[in-house]
Amino acid sequence: MNNPTICAIATAPGGAIGIIRISGSEALTIADRIFRPVGSNAPLADRKPYTLAFGNIVNAENEVVDEVLVSIFHAPHSYTGENSVEISCHGSAYILQQVMFLLTQNGCIPAGPGEFTQRAFLNGKMDLSQAEAVADLISATNKATHDMALSQLKGHFSNELSDLRAHLLKLTSLLELELDFSDHEELEFADRSELYTLACDIHQRLASLARSFEVGNALKNGIPVAIVGKTNVGKSTLLNHLLHEEKAIVSDVHGTTRDFIEDTTIINGIQFRFVDTAGIRPTDDVVENIGIERTYQKLQEAKIVLWLIDQQPTEAEMEDIKERVADKKLIIVRNKIDKSTAHSTFNIQHSTFTTVDISAKYGTNIPVLEQLIVEAADIPQLSESDIVITSARHYSALLLADESLQRVIDSMNLGLSGDLLAEDLRIVIDHLAEITGEERITPQETLQNIFTHFCIGK
């Protein structure tokens, strides 16, 4: 690739240390033009890779800009696969800008957003799914999202897809081979029973990967939890306790919250997205009614619902909430236990619902409620090696691949010809290739697979 040499500040502003990255064929040469090492005068290109050089960055007037450490990486053994240099400066914004100015004056161009990772992908250092994992790793806010991103970055998902692709390519090659010998109808290179068994096995693996998206998406974006109930029941006070900050306005006036308030917090290493909704009550206020409608909308989007009550609900209210949360986890939160008579007549007869008594005003039993929320999330214990899908793009491609593979299975059940099977198998492989950014399967690749694995007349 004949790309220009790029540079960029790689660290956030305000730190004690700032790092500038340089990548490209001229990275070492350009760095040499502004770097004066202490001790050895050997050019950076002549130094061993993965070593540090101490010295000064100097301007055109030979004035020292800063004392720095320079890290040296030779192609192809670098993040981008190109010659690379990292300059560790003091974190002053002025110093960093001066170094960037000197680099651009000497042949670098400023990197575009994500260009270092883009070059790593284009140079074969990582596939597309791994490149996407870099962004997920940077934005990880808890252990679960960190482990999922790290697993994808290390190639666990890519390796699984590569294994599936290899099996599918082998079967496609055998079916293509049959077509080349179509004048000999008795020849069957691809054993149909073996093909059927393998197709069913891959179908199960694709379905399992697709199912993991529900967990992965929830962990990445936060598990949605809706706090619902009547007006003035304590929803905003509870939200403030769960978020550990005064996010919502608390007032004794009914209908204070007229729209939903949403924010995230971490409980036991899992991110939850809490939504405080408008209180549910009959009202002629047009704005408040809009808020109540949005309450019902947020309730439908939630995975967990906290139904906050401070008195015995009617049977009609119980039936209404049961209908609205039929596919969700419901926790009935009985508030205001600080009032001695508040719960004396409570009688919740629905054993399928979890109940907890709290005082949102004083924070009583909030840790108990938090634990119940974690249990309701029902998130499996994940290790770094577990493959969990977090990208909607990956999920869509897996569904399309599985749909095509199901056609292969149906076609075999109907006894259809090998050319139809081969075409659908090609489509499966193409959808999997979309995830990793590989090229679509070509006739040359099919031929190569045939000659690699099968011997026909030598």
Side-chain angles (χ1 to χ4, degrees):
M1 296 176 61
N2 187 24
N3 287 330
T5 298
I6 56 174
C7 62
I9 299 172
T11 46
I17 302 296
I19 296 176
I20 292 176
R21 305 177 76 186
I22 314 169
S23 182
S25 58
E26 299 298 312
L28 298 167
T29 303
I30 294 173
D32 261 328
R33 292 172 186 163
I34 66 170
F35 177 64
R36 299 293 179 268
V38 173
S40 171
N41 291 321
L44 294 177
D46 294 340
R47 294 172 184 256
K48 292 182 179 179
Y50 310 121
T51 58
L52 296 174
F54 172 70
N56 298 312
I57 297 294
V58 297
N59 60 22
E61 289 73 36
N62 212 34
E63 297 171 335
V64 174
V65 176
D66 194 20
E67 288 186 341
V68 301
L69 283 173
V70 173
S71 306
I72 303 162
F73 305 90
H74 291 179
H77 306 295
S78 69
Y79 178 76
T80 60
E82 302 172 329
N83 285 338
S84 299
V85 173
E86 291 185 359
I87 303 174
S88 298
C89 315
H90 291 95
S92 159
Y94 171 77
I95 291 174
L96 291 169
Q97 290 303 326
Q98 285 297 301
V99 176
M100 284 290 294
F101 173 75
L102 291 172
L103 289 171
T104 56
Q105 287 291 299
N106 282 276
C108 280
I109 66 169
E115 189 169 356
F116 285 86
T117 301
Q118 182 184 36
R119 290 193 177 197
F121 165 67
L122 294 174
N123 291 327
K125 301 298 290 185
M126 60 179 67
D127 63 33
L128 193 55
S129 70
Q130 290 173 295
E132 290 170 305
V134 173
D136 288 344
L137 191 62
I138 292 171
S139 62
T141 57
N142 55 71
K143 186 178 187 303
T145 52
H146 168 270
D147 288 349
M148 289 189 299
L150 196 58
S151 172
Q152 188 169 318
L153 182 60
K154 288 186 173 182
H156 295 151
F157 182 35
S158 302
N159 292 338
E160 174 75 1
L161 294 180
S162 178
D163 183 58
L164 295 177
R165 189 178 189 276
H167 282 93
L168 291 166
L169 181 57
K170 178 182 177 181
L171 294 174
T172 305
S173 301
L174 285 168
L175 290 168
E176 295 279 359
L177 197 58
E178 288 183 6
L179 298 178
D180 289 340
F181 288 86
S182 56
D183 51 334
H184 298 278
E185 295 183 0
E186 72 282 0
L187 287 178
E188 187 176 89
F189 291 95
D191 182 271
R192 292 302 187 267
S193 61
E194 180 185 349
L195 175 56
Y196 185 84
T197 300
L198 187 56
C200 290
D201 177 59
I202 294 176
H203 166 67
Q204 293 297 324
R205 292 164 73 178
L206 290 177
S208 177
L209 287 171
R211 283 194 301 270
S212 73
F213 177 70
E214 181 181 356
V215 172
N217 186 55
L219 289 173
K220 182 178 179 179
N221 298 310
I223 298 169
V225 183
I227 305 173
V228 300
K230 294 181 178 179
T231 59
N232 209 31
V233 78
K235 299 186 300 298
S236 296
T237 305
L238 175 58
L239 176 70
N240 290 339
H241 272 295
L242 292 169
L243 297 179
H244 305 288
E245 64 172 301
E246 296 299 314
K247 184 74 174 181
I249 297 173
V250 176
S251 169
D252 291 334
V253 178
H254 287 269
T256 303
T257 304
R258 295 191 169 205
D259 202 351
F260 64 87
I261 300 171
E262 185 171 350
D263 208 344
T264 60
T265 192
I266 306 295
I267 305 175
N268 287 12
I270 301 171
Q271 180 169 266
F272 291 90
R273 192 170 70 251
F274 287 100
V275 183
D276 175 25
T277 60
I280 301 171
R281 65 166 180 167
T283 178
D284 294 327
D285 189 303
V286 175
V287 176
E288 190 175 350
N289 269 321
I290 293 173
I292 292 170
E293 286 301 315
R294 291 183 178 179
T295 292
Y296 290 129
Q297 178 184 341
K298 286 296 177 182
L299 191 150
Q300 291 303 313
E301 295 172 1
K303 178 177 180 178
I304 302 170
V305 176
L306 307 182
W307 184 28
L308 201 60
I309 58 177
D310 62 358
Q311 59 185 350
Q312 176 68 34
T314 65
E315 193 60 35
E317 290 171 337
M318 288 296 301
E319 290 304 315
D320 180 63
I321 198 71
K322 282 176 63 179
E323 181 179 344
R324 292 183 184 277
V325 301
D327 59 340
K328 308 177 188 305
K329 298 291 182 68
L330 174 66
I331 301 175
I332 301 177
V333 184
R334 303 186 293 191
N335 192 22
K336 304 182 180 179
I337 61 172
D338 49 289
K339 296 183 177 181
S340 58
T341 59
H343 292 222
S344 59
T345 59
F346 272 23
N347 182 24
I348 306 297
Q349 296 295 335
H350 298 274
S351 59
T352 56
F353 299 151
T354 302
T355 62
V356 59
D357 295 336
I358 70 162
S359 169
K361 181 177 181 179
Y362 296 105
T364 307
N365 282 347
I366 296 299
V368 176
L369 174 59
E370 289 177 333
Q371 185 57 40
L372 290 175
I373 293 170
V374 171
E375 292 173 3
D378 193 27
I379 298 298
Q381 286 290 331
L382 299 176
S383 67
E384 185 187 304
S385 60
D386 289 326
I387 301 173
V388 179
I389 306 305
T390 61
S391 165
R393 187 182 72 83
H394 299 172
Y395 177 63
S396 176
L398 286 169
L399 290 183
L400 291 171
D402 196 37
E403 180 182 311
S404 297
L405 191 60
Q406 185 61 56
R407 287 201 301 271
V408 173
I409 295 171
D410 294 341
S411 296
M412 281 190 286
N413 285 329
L414 294 172
L416 299 184
S417 61
D419 57 337
L420 296 176
L421 299 178
E423 180 59 28
D424 279 328
L425 283 173
R426 280 176 171 273
I427 294 173
V428 175
I429 295 173
D430 287 344
H431 284 309
L432 296 182
E434 290 174 12
I435 296 175
T436 56
E438 293 177 277
E439 297 290 336
R440 291 179 177 270
I441 184 174
T442 63
Q444 290 79 8
E445 189 173 4
T446 302
L447 286 172
Q448 179 65 34
N449 190 268
I450 290 172
F451 291 120
T452 300
H453 293 93
F454 311 107
C455 179
I456 303 175
K458 296 184 180 180

mmCIF file with all atom_site columns, all heavy atoms in Angstrom, residues 92-111:
data_model
loop_
_atom_site.group_PDB
_atom_site.id
_atom_site.type_symbol
_atom_site.label_atom_id
_atom_site.label_alt_id
_atom_site.label_comp_id
_atom_site.label_asym_id
_atom_site.label_entity_id
_atom_site.label_seq_id
_atom_site.pdbx_PDB_ins_code
_atom_site.Cartn_x
_atom_site.Cartn_y
_atom_site.Cartn_z
_atom_site.occupancy
_atom_site.B_iso_or_equiv
_atom_site.pdbx_formal_charge
_atom_site.auth_seq_id
_atom_site.auth_comp_id
_atom_site.auth_asym_id
_atom_site.auth_atom_id
_atom_site.pdbx_PDB_model_num
ATOM 1   N N   . SER A 1 92  ? 1.303  18.509 28.280 1.00 0.00 ? 92  SER A N   1
ATOM 2   C CA  . SER A 1 92  ? 0.893  19.876 27.945 1.00 0.00 ? 92  SER A CA  1
ATOM 3   C C   . SER A 1 92  ? 0.281  19.950 26.556 1.00 0.00 ? 92  SER A C   1
ATOM 4   O O   . SER A 1 92  ? 0.840  19.424 25.585 1.00 0.00 ? 92  SER A O   1
ATOM 5   C CB  . SER A 1 92  ? 2.111  20.812 28.021 1.00 0.00 ? 92  SER A CB  1
ATOM 6   O OG  . SER A 1 92  ? 1.902  21.983 27.265 1.00 0.00 ? 92  SER A OG  1
ATOM 7   N N   . ALA A 1 93  ? -0.878 20.593 26.458 1.00 0.00 ? 93  ALA A N   1
ATOM 8   C CA  . ALA A 1 93  ? -1.528 20.745 25.158 1.00 0.00 ? 93  ALA A CA  1
ATOM 9   C C   . ALA A 1 93  ? -0.625 21.514 24.199 1.00 0.00 ? 93  ALA A C   1
ATOM 10  O O   . ALA A 1 93  ? -0.575 21.210 22.994 1.00 0.00 ? 93  ALA A O   1
ATOM 11  C CB  . ALA A 1 93  ? -2.870 21.460 25.317 1.00 0.00 ? 93  ALA A CB  1
ATOM 12  N N   . TYR A 1 94  ? 0.110  22.491 24.717 1.00 0.00 ? 94  TYR A N   1
ATOM 13  C CA  . TYR A 1 94  ? 1.019  23.281 23.875 1.00 0.00 ? 94  TYR A CA  1
ATOM 14  C C   . TYR A 1 94  ? 2.126  22.396 23.300 1.00 0.00 ? 94  TYR A C   1
ATOM 15  O O   . TYR A 1 94  ? 2.431  22.454 22.099 1.00 0.00 ? 94  TYR A O   1
ATOM 16  C CB  . TYR A 1 94  ? 1.636  24.422 24.691 1.00 0.00 ? 94  TYR A CB  1
ATOM 17  C CG  . TYR A 1 94  ? 2.739  25.159 23.960 1.00 0.00 ? 94  TYR A CG  1
ATOM 18  C CD1 . TYR A 1 94  ? 2.447  26.080 22.959 1.00 0.00 ? 94  TYR A CD1 1
ATOM 19  C CD2 . TYR A 1 94  ? 4.087  24.899 24.260 1.00 0.00 ? 94  TYR A CD2 1
ATOM 20  C CE1 . TYR A 1 94  ? 3.462  26.741 22.271 1.00 0.00 ? 94  TYR A CE1 1
ATOM 21  C CE2 . TYR A 1 94  ? 5.104  25.557 23.581 1.00 0.00 ? 94  TYR A CE2 1
ATOM 22  C CZ  . TYR A 1 94  ? 4.791  26.471 22.592 1.00 0.00 ? 94  TYR A CZ  1
ATOM 23  O OH  . TYR A 1 94  ? 5.794  27.117 21.915 1.00 0.00 ? 94  TYR A OH  1
ATOM 24  N N   . ILE A 1 95  ? 2.730  21.539 24.163 1.00 0.00 ? 95  ILE A N   1
ATOM 25  C CA  . ILE A 1 95  ? 3.809  20.658 23.707 1.00 0.00 ? 95  ILE A CA  1
ATOM 26  C C   . ILE A 1 95  ? 3.298  19.704 22.626 1.00 0.00 ? 95  ILE A C   1
ATOM 27  O O   . ILE A 1 95  ? 3.928  19.526 21.576 1.00 0.00 ? 95  ILE A O   1
ATOM 28  C CB  . ILE A 1 95  ? 4.409  19.873 24.885 1.00 0.00 ? 95  ILE A CB  1
ATOM 29  C CG1 . ILE A 1 95  ? 5.183  20.817 25.810 1.00 0.00 ? 95  ILE A CG1 1
ATOM 30  C CG2 . ILE A 1 95  ? 5.310  18.740 24.388 1.00 0.00 ? 95  ILE A CG2 1
ATOM 31  C CD1 . ILE A 1 95  ? 5.689  20.151 27.075 1.00 0.00 ? 95  ILE A CD1 1
ATOM 32  N N   . LEU A 1 96  ? 2.150  19.093 22.878 1.00 0.00 ? 96  LEU A N   1
ATOM 33  C CA  . LEU A 1 96  ? 1.602  18.131 21.922 1.00 0.00 ? 96  LEU A CA  1
ATOM 34  C C   . LEU A 1 96  ? 1.318  18.802 20.579 1.00 0.00 ? 96  LEU A C   1
ATOM 35  O O   . LEU A 1 96  ? 1.604  18.230 19.513 1.00 0.00 ? 96  LEU A O   1
ATOM 36  C CB  . LEU A 1 96  ? 0.327  17.496 22.483 1.00 0.00 ? 96  LEU A CB  1
ATOM 37  C CG  . LEU A 1 96  ? 0.536  16.562 23.690 1.00 0.00 ? 96  LEU A CG  1
ATOM 38  C CD1 . LEU A 1 96  ? -0.802 16.208 24.325 1.00 0.00 ? 96  LEU A CD1 1
ATOM 39  C CD2 . LEU A 1 96  ? 1.271  15.291 23.271 1.00 0.00 ? 96  LEU A CD2 1
ATOM 40  N N   . GLN A 1 97  ? 0.762  19.980 20.619 1.00 0.00 ? 97  GLN A N   1
ATOM 41  C CA  . GLN A 1 97  ? 0.464  20.679 19.369 1.00 0.00 ? 97  GLN A CA  1
ATOM 42  C C   . GLN A 1 97  ? 1.746  21.079 18.637 1.00 0.00 ? 97  GLN A C   1
ATOM 43  O O   . GLN A 1 97  ? 1.823  21.027 17.409 1.00 0.00 ? 97  GLN A O   1
ATOM 44  C CB  . GLN A 1 97  ? -0.395 21.918 19.647 1.00 0.00 ? 97  GLN A CB  1
ATOM 45  C CG  . GLN A 1 97  ? -1.821 21.595 20.069 1.00 0.00 ? 97  GLN A CG  1
ATOM 46  C CD  . GLN A 1 97  ? -2.568 20.750 19.048 1.00 0.00 ? 97  GLN A CD  1
ATOM 47  O OE1 . GLN A 1 97  ? -2.357 20.873 17.829 1.00 0.00 ? 97  GLN A OE1 1
ATOM 48  N NE2 . GLN A 1 97  ? -3.432 19.868 19.531 1.00 0.00 ? 97  GLN A NE2 1
ATOM 49  N N   . GLN A 1 98  ? 2.784  21.449 19.400 1.00 0.00 ? 98  GLN A N   1
ATOM 50  C CA  . GLN A 1 98  ? 4.059  21.795 18.774 1.00 0.00 ? 98  GLN A CA  1
ATOM 51  C C   . GLN A 1 98  ? 4.684  20.579 18.086 1.00 0.00 ? 98  GLN A C   1
ATOM 52  O O   . GLN A 1 98  ? 5.205  20.682 16.969 1.00 0.00 ? 98  GLN A O   1
ATOM 53  C CB  . GLN A 1 98  ? 5.016  22.359 19.827 1.00 0.00 ? 98  GLN A CB  1
ATOM 54  C CG  . GLN A 1 98  ? 4.715  23.784 20.262 1.00 0.00 ? 98  GLN A CG  1
ATOM 55  C CD  . GLN A 1 98  ? 4.855  24.762 19.108 1.00 0.00 ? 98  GLN A CD  1
ATOM 56  O OE1 . GLN A 1 98  ? 5.918  24.895 18.498 1.00 0.00 ? 98  GLN A OE1 1
ATOM 57  N NE2 . GLN A 1 98  ? 3.757  25.456 18.787 1.00 0.00 ? 98  GLN A NE2 1
ATOM 58  N N   . VAL A 1 99  ? 4.630  19.421 18.740 1.00 0.00 ? 99  VAL A N   1
ATOM 59  C CA  . VAL A 1 99  ? 5.188  18.203 18.145 1.00 0.00 ? 99  VAL A CA  1
ATOM 60  C C   . VAL A 1 99  ? 4.397  17.824 16.896 1.00 0.00 ? 99  VAL A C   1
ATOM 61  O O   . VAL A 1 99  ? 4.966  17.453 15.863 1.00 0.00 ? 99  VAL A O   1
ATOM 62  C CB  . VAL A 1 99  ? 5.207  17.047 19.161 1.00 0.00 ? 99  VAL A CB  1
ATOM 63  C CG1 . VAL A 1 99  ? 5.708  15.756 18.494 1.00 0.00 ? 99  VAL A CG1 1
ATOM 64  C CG2 . VAL A 1 99  ? 6.083  17.393 20.352 1.00 0.00 ? 99  VAL A CG2 1
ATOM 65  N N   . MET A 1 100 ? 3.059  17.919 16.976 1.00 0.00 ? 100 MET A N   1
ATOM 66  C CA  . MET A 1 100 ? 2.227  17.635 15.801 1.00 0.00 ? 100 MET A CA  1
ATOM 67  C C   . MET A 1 100 ? 2.575  18.583 14.653 1.00 0.00 ? 100 MET A C   1
ATOM 68  O O   . MET A 1 100 ? 2.659  18.164 13.490 1.00 0.00 ? 100 MET A O   1
ATOM 69  C CB  . MET A 1 100 ? 0.739  17.766 16.166 1.00 0.00 ? 100 MET A CB  1
ATOM 70  C CG  . MET A 1 100 ? 0.188  16.606 16.960 1.00 0.00 ? 100 MET A CG  1
ATOM 71  S SD  . MET A 1 100 ? 0.059  15.081 15.968 1.00 0.00 ? 100 MET A SD  1
ATOM 72  C CE  . MET A 1 100 ? -1.201 15.554 14.787 1.00 0.00 ? 100 MET A CE  1
ATOM 73  N N   . PHE A 1 101 ? 2.785  19.861 14.962 1.00 0.00 ? 101 PHE A N   1
ATOM 74  C CA  . PHE A 1 101 ? 3.138  20.838 13.932 1.00 0.00 ? 101 PHE A CA  1
ATOM 75  C C   . PHE A 1 101 ? 4.461  20.462 13.262 1.00 0.00 ? 101 PHE A C   1
ATOM 76  O O   . PHE A 1 101 ? 4.583  20.494 12.030 1.00 0.00 ? 101 PHE A O   1
ATOM 77  C CB  . PHE A 1 101 ? 3.243  22.234 14.565 1.00 0.00 ? 101 PHE A CB  1
ATOM 78  C CG  . PHE A 1 101 ? 3.768  23.286 13.631 1.00 0.00 ? 101 PHE A CG  1
ATOM 79  C CD1 . PHE A 1 101 ? 2.965  23.812 12.630 1.00 0.00 ? 101 PHE A CD1 1
ATOM 80  C CD2 . PHE A 1 101 ? 5.077  23.737 13.749 1.00 0.00 ? 101 PHE A CD2 1
ATOM 81  C CE1 . PHE A 1 101 ? 3.466  24.779 11.760 1.00 0.00 ? 101 PHE A CE1 1
ATOM 82  C CE2 . PHE A 1 101 ? 5.573  24.703 12.884 1.00 0.00 ? 101 PHE A CE2 1
ATOM 83  C CZ  . PHE A 1 101 ? 4.759  25.228 11.893 1.00 0.00 ? 101 PHE A CZ  1
ATOM 84  N N   . LEU A 1 102 ? 5.455  20.083 14.070 1.00 0.00 ? 102 LEU A N   1
ATOM 85  C CA  . LEU A 1 102 ? 6.754  19.709 13.511 1.00 0.00 ? 102 LEU A CA  1
ATOM 86  C C   . LEU A 1 102 ? 6.648  18.467 12.642 1.00 0.00 ? 102 LEU A C   1
ATOM 87  O O   . LEU A 1 102 ? 7.293  18.374 11.584 1.00 0.00 ? 102 LEU A O   1
ATOM 88  C CB  . LEU A 1 102 ? 7.753  19.470 14.649 1.00 0.00 ? 102 LEU A CB  1
ATOM 89  C CG  . LEU A 1 102 ? 8.169  20.717 15.445 1.00 0.00 ? 102 LEU A CG  1
ATOM 90  C CD1 . LEU A 1 102 ? 8.998  20.323 16.665 1.00 0.00 ? 102 LEU A CD1 1
ATOM 91  C CD2 . LEU A 1 102 ? 8.956  21.680 14.557 1.00 0.00 ? 102 LEU A CD2 1
ATOM 92  N N   . LEU A 1 103 ? 5.838  17.500 13.051 1.00 0.00 ? 103 LEU A N   1
ATOM 93  C CA  . LEU A 1 103 ? 5.672  16.285 12.252 1.00 0.00 ? 103 LEU A CA  1
ATOM 94  C C   . LEU A 1 103 ? 5.025  16.600 10.903 1.00 0.00 ? 103 LEU A C   1
ATOM 95  O O   . LEU A 1 103 ? 5.442  16.079 9.858  1.00 0.00 ? 103 LEU A O   1
ATOM 96  C CB  . LEU A 1 103 ? 4.837  15.253 13.019 1.00 0.00 ? 103 LEU A CB  1
ATOM 97  C CG  . LEU A 1 103 ? 5.520  14.590 14.221 1.00 0.00 ? 103 LEU A CG  1
ATOM 98  C CD1 . LEU A 1 103 ? 4.522  13.764 15.017 1.00 0.00 ? 103 LEU A CD1 1
ATOM 99  C CD2 . LEU A 1 103 ? 6.691  13.715 13.769 1.00 0.00 ? 103 LEU A CD2 1
ATOM 100 N N   . THR A 1 104 ? 3.997  17.421 10.919 1.00 0.00 ? 104 THR A N   1
ATOM 101 C CA  . THR A 1 104 ? 3.334  17.756 9.648  1.00 0.00 ? 104 THR A CA  1
ATOM 102 C C   . THR A 1 104 ? 4.259  18.592 8.761  1.00 0.00 ? 104 THR A C   1
ATOM 103 O O   . THR A 1 104 ? 4.202  18.485 7.532  1.00 0.00 ? 104 THR A O   1
ATOM 104 C CB  . THR A 1 104 ? 2.015  18.508 9.904  1.00 0.00 ? 104 THR A CB  1
ATOM 105 O OG1 . THR A 1 104 ? 2.277  19.670 10.706 1.00 0.00 ? 104 THR A OG1 1
ATOM 106 C CG2 . THR A 1 104 ? 1.008  17.621 10.617 1.00 0.00 ? 104 THR A CG2 1
ATOM 107 N N   . GLN A 1 105 ? 5.109  19.410 9.388  1.00 0.00 ? 105 GLN A N   1
ATOM 108 C CA  . GLN A 1 105 ? 6.070  20.198 8.612  1.00 0.00 ? 105 GLN A CA  1
ATOM 109 C C   . GLN A 1 105 ? 7.109  19.309 7.943  1.00 0.00 ? 105 GLN A C   1
ATOM 110 O O   . GLN A 1 105 ? 7.710  19.680 6.937  1.00 0.00 ? 105 GLN A O   1
ATOM 111 C CB  . GLN A 1 105 ? 6.770  21.211 9.525  1.00 0.00 ? 105 GLN A CB  1
ATOM 112 C CG  . GLN A 1 105 ? 5.910  22.386 9.944  1.00 0.00 ? 105 GLN A CG  1
ATOM 113 C CD  . GLN A 1 105 ? 5.610  23.314 8.782  1.00 0.00 ? 105 GLN A CD  1
ATOM 114 O OE1 . GLN A 1 105 ? 6.517  23.887 8.171  1.00 0.00 ? 105 GLN A OE1 1
ATOM 115 N NE2 . GLN A 1 105 ? 4.333  23.463 8.449  1.00 0.00 ? 105 GLN A NE2 1
ATOM 116 N N   . ASN A 1 106 ? 7.303  18.115 8.496  1.00 0.00 ? 106 ASN A N   1
ATOM 117 C CA  . ASN A 1 106 ? 8.349  17.230 7.985  1.00 0.00 ? 106 ASN A CA  1
ATOM 118 C C   . ASN A 1 106 ? 7.811  16.036 7.199  1.00 0.00 ? 106 ASN A C   1
ATOM 119 O O   . ASN A 1 106 ? 8.551  15.085 6.945  1.00 0.00 ? 106 ASN A O   1
ATOM 120 C CB  . ASN A 1 106 ? 9.219  16.743 9.147  1.00 0.00 ? 106 ASN A CB  1
ATOM 121 C CG  . ASN A 1 106 ? 10.215 17.787 9.596  1.00 0.00 ? 106 ASN A CG  1
ATOM 122 O OD1 . ASN A 1 106 ? 11.302 17.909 9.026  1.00 0.00 ? 106 ASN A OD1 1
ATOM 123 N ND2 . ASN A 1 106 ? 9.832  18.563 10.611 1.00 0.00 ? 106 ASN A ND2 1
ATOM 124 N N   . GLY A 1 107 ? 6.540  16.075 6.828  1.00 0.00 ? 107 GLY A N   1
ATOM 125 C CA  . GLY A 1 107 ? 6.049  15.048 5.907  1.00 0.00 ? 107 GLY A CA  1
ATOM 126 C C   . GLY A 1 107 ? 4.858  14.235 6.356  1.00 0.00 ? 107 GLY A C   1
ATOM 127 O O   . GLY A 1 107 ? 4.295  13.477 5.559  1.00 0.00 ? 107 GLY A O   1
ATOM 128 N N   . CYS A 1 108 ? 4.444  14.331 7.620  1.00 0.00 ? 108 CYS A N   1
ATOM 129 C CA  . CYS A 1 108 ? 3.260  13.600 8.080  1.00 0.00 ? 108 CYS A CA  1
ATOM 130 C C   . CYS A 1 108 ? 1.987  14.343 7.702  1.00 0.00 ? 108 CYS A C   1
ATOM 131 O O   . CYS A 1 108 ? 2.007  15.560 7.478  1.00 0.00 ? 108 CYS A O   1
ATOM 132 C CB  . CYS A 1 108 ? 3.287  13.444 9.606  1.00 0.00 ? 108 CYS A CB  1
ATOM 133 S SG  . CYS A 1 108 ? 4.339  12.108 10.210 1.00 0.00 ? 108 CYS A SG  1
ATOM 134 N N   . ILE A 1 109 ? 0.889  13.612 7.676  1.00 0.00 ? 109 ILE A N   1
ATOM 135 C CA  . ILE A 1 109 ? -0.422 14.259 7.584  1.00 0.00 ? 109 ILE A CA  1
ATOM 136 C C   . ILE A 1 109 ? -1.242 13.792 8.787  1.00 0.00 ? 109 ILE A C   1
ATOM 137 O O   . ILE A 1 109 ? -1.064 12.664 9.274  1.00 0.00 ? 109 ILE A O   1
ATOM 138 C CB  . ILE A 1 109 ? -1.157 13.930 6.267  1.00 0.00 ? 109 ILE A CB  1
ATOM 139 C CG1 . ILE A 1 109 ? -1.513 12.443 6.196  1.00 0.00 ? 109 ILE A CG1 1
ATOM 140 C CG2 . ILE A 1 109 ? -0.343 14.356 5.066  1.00 0.00 ? 109 ILE A CG2 1
ATOM 141 C CD1 . ILE A 1 109 ? -2.470 12.109 5.067  1.00 0.00 ? 109 ILE A CD1 1
ATOM 142 N N   . PRO A 1 110 ? -2.129 14.646 9.322  1.00 0.00 ? 110 PRO A N   1
ATOM 143 C CA  . PRO A 1 110 ? -2.953 14.233 10.469 1.00 0.00 ? 110 PRO A CA  1
ATOM 144 C C   . PRO A 1 110 ? -3.851 13.053 10.100 1.00 0.00 ? 110 PRO A C   1
ATOM 145 O O   . PRO A 1 110 ? -4.442 13.019 9.015  1.00 0.00 ? 110 PRO A O   1
ATOM 146 C CB  . PRO A 1 110 ? -3.778 15.487 10.788 1.00 0.00 ? 110 PRO A CB  1
ATOM 147 C CG  . PRO A 1 110 ? -2.998 16.619 10.194 1.00 0.00 ? 110 PRO A CG  1
ATOM 148 C CD  . PRO A 1 110 ? -2.344 16.060 8.962  1.00 0.00 ? 110 PRO A CD  1
ATOM 149 N N   . ALA A 1 111 ? -3.933 12.096 10.997 1.00 0.00 ? 111 ALA A N   1
ATOM 150 C CA  . ALA A 1 111 ? -4.760 10.903 10.754 1.00 0.00 ? 111 ALA A CA  1
ATOM 151 C C   . ALA A 1 111 ? -6.235 11.250 10.862 1.00 0.00 ? 111 ALA A C   1
ATOM 152 O O   . ALA A 1 111 ? -6.635 12.123 11.645 1.00 0.00 ? 111 ALA A O   1
ATOM 153 C CB  . ALA A 1 111 ? -4.407 9.813  11.756 1.00 0.00 ? 111 ALA A CB  1
#
